């Protein structure tokens, strides 16, 4: 094998959210297996990130590998226009069965951002189909993250999402304050006053309310009270607004329920899933709507067609692996695993409250967050963690982990000890 050409990488390849001209260091990976990432230089790292929420079963899983091998020997891809195939049907069956009752119309998208685009398009087309063209704006909450394409970006937090870079291009929507009451704190009805006021004032312009249920991920790693979500559902019903739940980060068990909406017993009108959908193997996402939405769009203008259709829609390879992954979730131990991770994270991270640089420690499901008072130097922290044999990638003031569900207690302790060492270094 050729040695890795890092100089070429640094000069020619953009990595996520980085500058091409003053790139941060990148670590060449040779392979990954279970909860370990193996670097080209032979070092093994315990993975705290599950490759951004996705590798819930760990890497190089024999069952997922087998599903990919079996499918690739039949066909890697075939167009989805006018054609269907077993893997797409298997996957959609499982999605309909697993998602909350009532969600049963599946659109297979090629990434999380696209599934959000499709959800927004569905909501707008639904309103047009009812003759309510004026309902063409969205409502969301601050500190949210819904993806990097333009419609998704327009409902990301205006500051985190750097809306000012794209003024005049991003559609203008309505932003409610971010929820502040955490799931374990006492509820006050005043929490939703500002949200209610926005509904009252603008409902005749609003097609849908989009939010991440219970856990706001990339927009700040914040957890909020299920009553907020219940109230959101009630307000959507009262004011004839669709509820879109972006479960791309939270879906498939991460928060201790299969879907975070279940913490509030809320069923959205449209749900987006991605990330863990294919067990972290391939890019795949889905937008799942109620039959009512599908039927309303179906009776609308343009022959009732939903106007979206990516080239790689329903990619059989991705669908086959995702169907296998969902099967493993349905018959597996995710509930016990996530509960155990939740407990251990709480026990081992909570004492870090006492560290001088730490502003907050919060854990929910298999997610542990340490918020510092000041921004973390990513390059420095990354090297520190790699030297300790763990893979943890901070952003902003946040050091956080959401490991593969299969992580063992001793491996999880390696992650929390490394975070602890970072908080206490030099003291
Ligand atoms: C990651 C994420 C997205 C975007 O998904 P991509 O696959 O990166 O396009 C959208 N919404 C939420 C909540 C996410 O966490």
């Amino acid at each position: 094998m050729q040695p890795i050409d890092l100089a070429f990488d640094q000069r020619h390849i953009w990595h996520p959210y980085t500058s091409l001209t003053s790139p941060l260091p990148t670590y060449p990976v040779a392979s990954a297996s279970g909860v370990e990432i193996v670097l080209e230089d032979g070092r093994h790292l315990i993975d705290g990130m599950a490759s951004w929420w996705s590798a819930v079963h760990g890497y190089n899983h024999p069952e997922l590998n087998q599903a990919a091998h079996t499918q690739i020997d039949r066909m890697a891809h075939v167009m989805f226009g006018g054609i269907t195939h077993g893997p797409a049907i298997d996957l959609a069956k499982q999605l309909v069965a697993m998602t909350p009752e009532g969600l049963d119309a599946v659109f297979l998208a090629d990434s999380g951002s696209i599934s959000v685009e499709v959800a927004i398009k569905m909501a707008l087309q639904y309103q047009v189909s009812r003759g309510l063209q004026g309902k063409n704006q969205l409502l969301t909450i601050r500190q949210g993250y819904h993806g990097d394409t333009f419609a998704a970006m327009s409902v990301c937090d205006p500051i985190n999402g750097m809306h000012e870079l794209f003024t005049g291009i991003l559609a203008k929507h309505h932003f409610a304050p971010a929820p502040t009451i955490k799931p374990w704190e006492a509820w006050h009805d005043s929490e939703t006053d500002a949200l209610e006021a926005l509904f009252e004032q603008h409902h005749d312009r609003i097609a849908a309310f989009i939010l991440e249920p219970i856990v706001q991920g990339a927009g700040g790693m914040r957890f909020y009270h299920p009553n907020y979500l219940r109230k959101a559902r009630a307000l959507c019903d009262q004011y004839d607004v669709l509820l879109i739940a972006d479960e791309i980060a939270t879906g498939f068990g991460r928060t201790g329920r299969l879907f975070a909406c279940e913490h509030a017993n809320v069923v959205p009108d449209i749900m987006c899933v991605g990330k863990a959908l294919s067990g972290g193997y391939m890019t795949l996402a889905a937008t799942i709507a109620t039959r009512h939405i599908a039927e309303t769009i179906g009776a609308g203008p343009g022959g009732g067609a939903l106007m979206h259709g990516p080239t790689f829609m329903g990619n059989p390879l991705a669908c086959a692996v995702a169907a296998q992954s969902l099967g493993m979730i349905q018959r597996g131990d995710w509930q016990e695993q996530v509960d155990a991770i939740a407990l251990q994270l709480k026990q081992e991270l909570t004492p870090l409250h006492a560290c001088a640089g730490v502003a907050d420690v919060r854990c929910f499901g298999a997610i542990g967050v340490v918020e510092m008072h000041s921004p973390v130097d990513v390059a420095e922290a990354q090297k520190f963690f790699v030297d300790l044999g763990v893979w943890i990638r901070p952003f902003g003031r946040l050091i956080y982990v959401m490991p593969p569900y299969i992580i063992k207690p001793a491996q999880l302790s390696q992650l929390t000890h490394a975070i602890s060492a970072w908080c206490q270094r030099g003291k």
Side-chain angles (χ1 to χ4, degrees), residues 230-414:
R230 283 191 197 104
K231 184 69 178 181
R233 176 72 270 182
L235 288 167
C236 283
D237 291 341
Q238 183 182 344
Y239 288 106
D240 187 22
V241 165
L242 296 176
L243 181 64
I244 303 174
D246 180 348
E247 293 258 13
I248 292 167
T250 50
F252 309 111
R254 178 60 65 181
T255 69
R257 300 287 174 89
L258 208 41
F259 297 97
C261 281
E262 295 171 16
H263 289 283
N265 281 320
V266 154
V267 181
D269 300 291
I270 301 173
M271 182 185 273
C272 299
V273 295
K275 290 201 163 103
L277 174 61
S278 72
Y281 265 54
M282 267 165 280
T283 179
L284 185 68
T287 313
I288 311 153
T290 59
R291 182 136 300 269
H292 170 66
I293 291 179
E295 284 175 350
T296 306
I297 292 173
L306 177 67
M307 291 308 290
H308 212 91
T311 304
F312 285 97
M313 185 168 178
N315 173 251
L317 200 46
C319 287
V321 175
Q324 186 68 29
S325 173
L326 296 194
M328 286 160 60
I329 286 175
Q330 281 169 293
R331 65 188 145 76
D333 306 325
W334 68 270
Q335 182 78 64
E336 293 74 20
Q337 290 167 334
V338 167
D339 290 350
I341 294 169
L343 191 65
Q344 193 181 342
L345 283 175
K346 207 171 288 173
Q347 280 167 351
E348 295 178 7
L349 292 179
T350 306
L352 300 184
H353 265 297
C355 294
V358 172
D360 189 33
V361 178
R362 48 187 186 268
C363 301
F364 190 73
I367 312 164
V369 183
V370 177
E371 183 167 338
M372 309 302 286
H373 284 296
S374 39
V376 178
D377 182 319
V378 177
E380 188 191 344
Q382 203 80 93
K383 179 171 185 322
F384 181 89
F385 288 132
V386 168
D387 288 344
L388 287 179
V390 298
W391 182 248
I392 297 171
R393 185 168 167 82
F395 84 90
R397 296 186 293 117
L398 304 172
I399 301 174
Y400 65 103
V401 288
M402 59 269 192
Y405 300 165
I406 58 157
I407 196 165
K408 301 237 164 56
Q411 296 169 318
L412 187 55
S413 286
Q414 259 183 275

Side-chain angles (χ1 to χ4, degrees), residues 53 111-113 116 145-147 212 246 248-249 275:
W53 316 80
S111 72
S113 301
V116 169
Y145 176 76
H146 298 286
E212 295 154 275
D246 180 348
I248 292 167
K275 290 201 163 103

